[in-house]
Every structure is written in C-alpha cells, then in structure tokens.
Amino acid sequence: MEQRPVSPDAIGPLVEPGEALTPPEVRRYARHLLVPEIGETGQRRLKAARVLVVGAGGLGSPALLYLAAAGVGTIGVLDDDVVDESNLHRQVVHGAADVGRAKVDSAADAVARANPLVTVVRHRERLTADNAEDLVSGYDLVLDGADNFGTRYLVNDACVLAGVPWVWGAVLRFDGHVAVFWGGRGPTYRDLFPAPPAPGTVPSCSQAGVLGGVVAQVGSVMVTEALKLLLGAGRPLLGRVLVLDALEGTWRTLGVRPDPSRSPITAVVPEAGASAVEPSPGQAVPTVDAATLADERALGSVVLLDVREPEEHAALAIPGARLVPLAALLESAGAGGAAARGSGVLDDVPRDADVVVHCASGARSEQGARALLDAGWTRVRHLEGGITAWASETGMVARGG
C-alpha cells in the first residue's frame, strides 16, 4: 500500500556514509569538501551511493559524466542500443570510433576515463515489466533519461514498489523538463501523466530533433537533483516540475500533487499505447541482417520502407527504399484492418508483400514493423542494426561524406 506523502523538509540523506576517503579521493574531491552541504561526510555518502542511469543517450551522457566526476561510488548503465552516428551531436559519452558499439560499453569507457575511482555496472538489456523491479531494487536512486513513455511508466512503477526515488528528465528541440518522483513521499509519474499519449501524436527526438546543449542543461540539473537526494541537501524537485524554454532563456516550476483517485500501484504494468518497450504478446518482430537484405534486394524481392525523417533519408539512403516517416506509418497502419487501406502511404503495399522496415539503428523500425503486423501485413521484418549496419556491410557513405 502506498504511504501518505510527507513534507520535503522531512527527507534526509538517502545513504549512510561509506568508508573513509583515501588520499587520492581527498585530492580529487577537494573542492567538494569545502562545500558545507557536502564536506567529508557527504563525500563518503556519495562514495557509498548506488545510482542507476536508464539510457546512455542524450540525457544519460552528461548525467553519467557528472555522477562519476562527483564520486558516486557505483553507477549502473542500462541500455540495449548501439551507438549511431546521429547520436554524436548530443550523446557526449560516445565518439566517432564508438559507432556500432554497445552504448553501455562506450559509456563505461567514458566513465572510467572521467573517474577511475568509481565502479560501473553494465546492463545491456531492455527494461521490461519482468526485470524492472529487480534492476531498480539494487540501487539507491534511479536517474531516467529514457526517450519513450513506455520506459518511464516501467521505471515509475518499479521505483514505487521498491521504495526508490527517481529523477526524471525529458527534452525535445529547445524544451526540457525535470522532476523528482517518489512514491509515498510525493507524486509519481502517473500523477503527472495518468496515461500515455496515443502512438504517433508526440514526436520523439529522432523525429522532431533536439539541440545538444539542451540535453546538457537538463542532464546537469538531473544530476544536481540526484546529488541533493543522496546528500539530504536542499529542497528536491519533489512535487514540482522544472520547465526549460531554451529559446526564451527561461526556467519555471509547475506544481504537481498526488491524485487521490488514482489506483495504488501494486505491480509493474507496461502501458498499452506507449512507445514500444517490449514486443506485444505473441507478436515477435522478425529481423533480417544487412548481408541477407543485400542479397534479397539484388533479386528485387523486397519492399523496403525507411521510417526515418526526410533529413535523415536525404543524407543517407538505401537505394530503392521508400521514405515513410514513422509517424505517417503509424497513423496509416493504426487505422487497423481494411480501414488502413485508402489512408495514403500504404495503399500500394500488398498485405502479403515481403516488407522490410529500416531506420537508423533498429528502434523505430521495430515499432513500425510491429504496427504493420498488427494491422494485417503478414510478411514483415525489420533491419537489424538499421542503416548503420547496412553502411558497414556495403561501404555506403553519406552524401557529401
């Protein structure tokens, strides 16, 4: 049963002080030790702390670096994706040489370079309803930089059940949001967003774009909130959402309260209609590797749909691929059954055609392929590793590259 909220002033430090600082730690954290709210005791708390970062992307990148630099003793990195070239303008833990590598690996290397005194735990897996509570329970705090609604609901439910606070951040173009959620001590994510938006109605960063500096701003604020919670310093963003409008250069806060009519959270529940987080029951999405697709294309036996945005397609495209941005595909396929016919972009794609969907690295294409399967197309696969894998296999380079 969820507890009644308590005043933010009643929140103390999340962790007890760890072992005494070593001479190298004293030298490294010398400026921290001068801050009254931190000091030697606070630095030992950070040393003993365990923080899970969900997503080693735009928000996770600055978060990981600043958590490591601050001396958080154990940092978990959860991400099942690989580095794509389109990530590099904002995901600063990854470099050009990391393209194609697992994000958890390149992120762990970056953290080690930033501070070899901390421990990194790699979780190269997707957060699901089955593993969320176990993962979260191993940490004192969760910092969520996920880029989809489905993952956020999983994080929220798992944290409520485990009694773990979490720091949420979100960005799009020039806008950003940060808040702290903690079941029993304040509102949860489900109080702010009781239900996810319909698929395709809210564009992702891969569809709408994002400014690299904005994720740096939001990610650094998320770290500050995390450190405040670990130390028991100041007033956390519990019951408040901090809103950034970078174009106007303004920050403002909005209040949020627990919804007394909301049903208690008793299990980790994946939200229907949220962005794809795990395969729909009984509807696995088949994949095809780049080498096999190259052979099939040569035979002219596949319909290839590119669900990226026009700018991405213009820079680098598989010859013969038809551009159908994910939002347009979801809108058309989402009509369901025969209703999807006559909706435009899918009119001339037979239901029994051999369709391969691709994007940059595989996330959007999996969502698009699943939508086609759900709408009645019978032979649908998505390209494993996306156009990144295709370019590596074929030696294709971006226009002007």
Side-chain angles (χ1 to χ4, degrees):
M1 180 179 294
E2 294 179 90
Q3 301 172 343
R4 297 179 62 186
V6 299
S7 166
D9 298 333
I11 297 175
L14 276 182
V15 294
E16 294 299 318
E19 298 177 352
L21 301 179
T22 64
E25 289 170 332
V26 171
R27 293 193 296 270
R28 176 178 283 267
Y29 308 125
R31 300 300 184 270
H32 263 187
L33 302 181
L34 298 175
V35 179
E37 290 82 1
I38 305 176
E40 190 265 347
T41 299
Q43 193 63 50
R44 287 169 53 205
R45 293 188 195 278
L46 298 182
K47 181 178 180 178
R50 297 175 58 85
V51 175
L52 175 65
V53 177
V54 178
L59 294 174
S61 289
L64 287 164
L65 293 177
Y66 276 107
L67 289 170
V72 171
T74 301
I75 302 172
V77 188
L78 175 67
D79 201 307
D80 70 336
D81 203 0
V82 298
V83 180
D84 182 78
E85 192 172 7
S86 65
N87 301 149
L88 301 181
H89 86 289
R90 67 195 184 284
Q91 299 183 15
V92 294
V93 291
H94 315 299
D98 296 314
V99 172
R101 292 184 70 197
K103 286 187 177 181
V104 293
D105 293 336
S106 55
D109 289 346
V111 169
R113 290 192 297 270
N115 189 351
L117 302 180
V118 305
T119 299
V120 179
V121 181
R122 309 177 195 199
H123 301 281
R124 190 182 180 185
E125 55 189 306
R126 177 169 293 188
L127 196 71
T128 70
D130 293 328
N131 65 15
E133 190 175 357
D134 285 342
L135 283 169
V136 163
S137 297
Y139 292 89
D140 302 302
L141 175 72
V142 175
L143 191 150
D144 177 31
D147 62 356
N148 65 82
F149 287 92
T151 299
R152 294 167 190 154
Y153 286 104
L154 293 176
V155 170
N156 180 80
D157 294 353
C159 285
V160 169
L161 294 174
V164 174
W166 65 289
V167 182
W168 163 68
V171 295
L172 189 70
R173 292 176 178 160
F174 287 87
D175 301 323
H177 300 81
V178 185
V180 172
F181 299 112
W182 196 350
R185 292 180 177 268
T188 75
Y189 186 74
R190 290 185 181 275
D191 293 309
L192 182 62
F193 297 109
T201 59
V202 178
S204 66
C205 291
S206 61
Q207 297 167 321
V210 62
L211 183 68
V214 174
V215 296
Q217 288 178 275
V218 173
S220 63
V221 172
M222 293 172 72
V223 171
T224 300
E225 289 302 305
L227 298 182
K228 285 162 57 181
L229 289 165
L230 295 170
L231 295 166
R235 180 189 176 198
L237 283 172
L238 187 61
R240 296 179 294 156
V241 179
L242 187 62
V243 181
L244 167 66
D245 182 339
L247 277 178
E248 290 294 323
T250 60
W251 293 89
R252 60 194 178 101
T253 55
L254 304 174
V256 56
R257 298 178 180 178
D259 180 359
S261 66
R262 176 178 53 79
S263 299
I265 295 169
T266 58
V268 180
V269 180
E271 276 293 337
S275 298
V277 176
E278 55 185 343
S280 302
Q283 185 66 89
V285 179
T287 61
V288 59
D289 60 55
T292 302
L293 179 61
D295 292 339
E296 294 180 0
R297 276 192 68 259
L299 297 174
S301 58
V302 295
V303 175
L304 187 57
L305 302 181
D306 182 349
V307 295
R308 299 175 300 154
E309 292 302 297
E311 296 80 7
E312 297 175 275
H313 183 84
L316 183 65
I318 300 176
R322 178 193 302 188
L323 176 63
V324 184
L326 180 61
L329 184 148
L330 292 177
E331 180 180 2
S332 185
R341 305 296 290 175
S343 59
V345 297
L346 302 176
D347 282 0
D348 60 345
V349 181
R351 295 303 177 97
D352 59 352
D354 188 359
V355 178
V356 174
V357 185
H358 90 81
C359 63
S361 60
R364 282 175 283 173
S365 62
E366 182 181 9
Q367 186 177 358
R370 182 175 297 113
L372 291 177
L373 288 167
D374 289 343
W377 275 263
T378 58
R379 301 172 60 201
V380 181
R381 295 169 291 168
H382 79 104
L383 177 59
E384 208 171 64
I387 202 166
T388 301
W390 175 268
S392 177
E393 175 67 27
T394 64
M396 185 173 63
V397 296
R399 296 180 177 88

